[in-house]
Amino acid sequence: MERLPDGAHLLRGGDLGCARLLVLLRQEALALDAGAVVHLETSDPIAPIDLPAWCRITGHGYLGPVEDEGIPRYGVCISPQARSTDPEFPWRVVG
């Protein structure tokens, strides 16, 4: 994951489907401090639907679309009260 000049973290998802993107985002979120912002870059047309839903399920903050350089980006704020999810199925809350 790259660090952007504004301090946000950039996760380049390319053309990966949302299921794989959420696995990557979950993994990266575990390593970040609460309040960190992740910009997820993806060309997946389902991302604007799946990312807000995943944030509601997990408790992370969905920040919406972010200014980009041609590839859509979406912001997520890491929550200190995020719910644990299954590593292989990050849309399934565990515990």
Side-chain angles (χ1 to χ4, degrees):
M1 193 157 39
E2 299 172 45
R3 193 71 179 252
L4 297 171
D6 66 359
H9 301 269
L10 176 60
L11 179 59
R12 294 185 188 270
D15 61 355
L16 292 176
C18 256
R20 180 68 184 133
L21 290 172
L22 292 177
V23 169
L24 293 174
L25 180 56
R26 178 199 177 274
Q27 180 180 10
E28 295 293 343
L30 290 172
L32 295 173
D33 293 331
V37 173
V38 177
H39 292 178
L40 179 63
E41 184 179 85
T42 178
S43 60
D44 185 345
I46 303 302
I49 297 167
D50 281 356
L51 283 173
W54 182 80
C55 288
R56 278 191 304 276
I57 290 167
T58 61
H60 293 297
Y62 180 66
L63 304 176
V66 178
E67 291 295 319
D68 62 66
E69 297 175 16
I71 298 175
R73 289 183 184 173
Y74 307 92
V76 173
C77 183
I78 304 305
S79 171
Q81 290 89 23
R83 294 174 199 83
S84 296
T85 59
D86 185 305
E88 293 183 36
F89 304 99
W91 49 89
R92 293 184 185 164
V93 175
V94 295

